[in-house]
Amino acid sequence: MKTNPNVFSNNDITVTYNPCNCINAGRCAKELSNVFRQSVIPWIDLEAASTKEIIKQVKKCPSGALQFHVKQKVA
């Protein structure tokens, strides 16, 4: 069964979470719990840390379930 990824955005970044790929390592919630919250919906709060911190944490996702895309600034 295919599930569409969950999408979370702010002014700087879009983070997608694909639950089908997640191995539930919990690394995101353990290391950046103010953004990746286990018992709150929506469970990803992109306003709770800097874009740099979020990108660093997403890159640590062992399954690739979390991905990010930096939005281009319009001049």
Side-chain angles (χ1 to χ4, degrees):
M1 181 172 132
K2 185 172 178 157
T3 303
N4 291 330
N6 297 297
V7 179
F8 304 87
S9 293
N10 65 17
N11 290 334
D12 300 320
I13 191 171
T14 296
V15 173
T16 58
Y17 167 66
N18 189 335
C20 290
N21 292 352
C22 185
I23 61 172
N24 294 306
R27 192 169 188 174
C28 55
K30 289 176 191 161
E31 296 178 12
L32 197 59
S33 62
N34 52 328
V35 173
F36 301 98
R37 306 168 302 173
Q38 293 182 331
S39 61
V40 179
I41 296 176
W43 79 278
I44 296 178
D45 179 9
L46 298 179
E47 303 302 324
S50 72
T51 298
K52 186 176 180 177
E53 289 174 297
I54 294 167
I55 290 171
K56 183 177 176 183
Q57 190 61 49
V58 169
K59 286 181 176 181
K60 294 179 183 180
C61 180
S63 66
L66 291 169
Q67 298 287 318
F68 72 92
H69 304 282
V70 177
K71 295 180 181 181
Q72 294 202 1
K73 302 286 183 186
V74 178

